[in-house]
Amino acid sequence: MSGVFDLSSLKKDPQPSQGGGAHEVLVTAANVQQVLVSSQEKPVILQVGSSRSPESDEMRKNFNELHNDGFTYAYVDADATPEVAGALGVQAIPTVVAFIGGRPAGSFQGGQPRQVLEQLVSQVAPGEDKPTDPRIENANSLLHSGDLNEAEAAFQKILKEEPGNKEAKSGLARTHLLLRVAEAHAAAATGLDAELIQADAEAAGGDLSAAFSRLLGQLMTNFGDDKETVKKRLIELFSAFEGSPEVDDARRKMASALF
């Protein structure tokens, strides 16, 4: 989609009209270029959607909930403004494109789980650090001391009270990784199961590059339910090791493999 818009001559201070969501900008033919050029100052996540698509409505709801001051969430109604969707070269609904510095920085088509949207937002506009949560400290202490079942219960309790807590999600993912490693029977496993067990062992041992390389290889050679299993395992490990440079690299490679 690169090159669709020439942003070089446009001003950088858009005043787009507000859309239906609390944190979204509704994009029209009148303001589309202003919205996109504003990404030179602040990243823009643009969704092209339709009320006829349940996946699109769910994604729109999630992006509004995930919004922070670090990015602009822009929504194009493909039914009301088909000319804008056409100018963007959209071929499927929903389509999401991230714009940074006035240029497309990545895109995907079709419905995606909330975790994928969270990852996109965290890459485009990381939030500010929050004060230490004593609940997280306690759960991490249980994890580090090897009390995996108690750590799992502690992280789950936090997520029951606060489903969007990223630290608890990451801690629970690390706990599940260690539980899988402790329960694995590598000698009896074959095929994809053996690869998943080995990737878990590599990740738990600190060799994230090897683990992600193994799983990305499986992602490109498997199909259907097996491919989805590998994708979910990658997403869980991304959550477990959020902030590691290996995660950022593997995310980019996963996006290339999928989209």
Side-chain angles (χ1 to χ4, degrees), residues 66-220:
L66 294 170
H67 181 266
N68 65 51
D69 291 338
F71 75 101
T72 298
Y73 169 54
Y75 183 83
V76 178
D77 186 331
D79 297 319
T81 54
E83 70 278 15
V84 176
L88 287 165
V90 171
Q91 298 179 342
I93 299 294
T95 288
V96 171
V97 188
F99 288 86
I100 299 175
R103 300 182 64 81
S107 66
F108 58 76
Q109 298 178 343
Q112 299 294 327
R114 185 182 175 101
Q115 281 183 303
V116 171
L117 307 187
E118 290 175 346
Q119 290 165 9
L120 173 63
V121 170
S122 70
Q123 286 182 291
V124 170
E128 296 181 357
D129 292 336
K130 297 181 179 180
T132 301
D133 185 333
R135 300 171 303 169
I136 296 293
E137 286 189 331
N138 176 62
N140 279 330
S141 177
L142 292 169
L143 177 60
H144 296 155
S145 65
D147 296 326
L148 300 183
N149 291 327
E150 291 186 30
E152 179 184 37
F155 285 123
Q156 288 175 335
K157 184 174 185 293
I158 296 169
L159 289 171
K160 185 176 181 180
E161 298 168 351
E162 191 181 339
N165 191 304
K166 292 183 179 180
E167 288 182 283
K169 287 181 180 179
S170 179
L172 185 61
R174 293 195 306 275
T175 305
H176 285 164
L177 168 62
L178 295 177
L179 284 168
R180 289 196 304 269
V181 170
E183 297 169 358
H185 300 286
T190 59
L192 179 58
D193 287 340
E195 295 295 326
L196 293 174
I197 289 173
Q198 186 61 34
D200 278 346
E202 290 165 341
D207 194 349
L208 295 182
S209 294
F212 289 143
S213 178
R214 183 181 301 277
L215 291 174
L216 288 167
Q218 292 299 312
L219 188 70
M220 291 184 285

Side-chain angles (χ1 to χ4, degrees), residues 31-70:
N31 69 2
V32 58
Q33 291 187 323
Q34 289 179 320
V35 171
L36 297 187
V37 78
S38 74
S39 71
Q40 295 178 2
E41 303 296 336
K42 179 190 291 189
V44 172
I45 295 177
L46 181 144
Q47 177 189 345
V48 182
S50 166
S51 60
R52 295 179 288 111
S53 165
E55 294 86 357
S56 180
D57 283 345
E58 181 67 15
M59 185 178 289
R60 187 180 190 181
K61 173 178 174 289
N62 283 330
F63 271 129
N64 271 285
E65 292 176 351
L66 294 170
H67 181 266
N68 65 51
D69 291 338

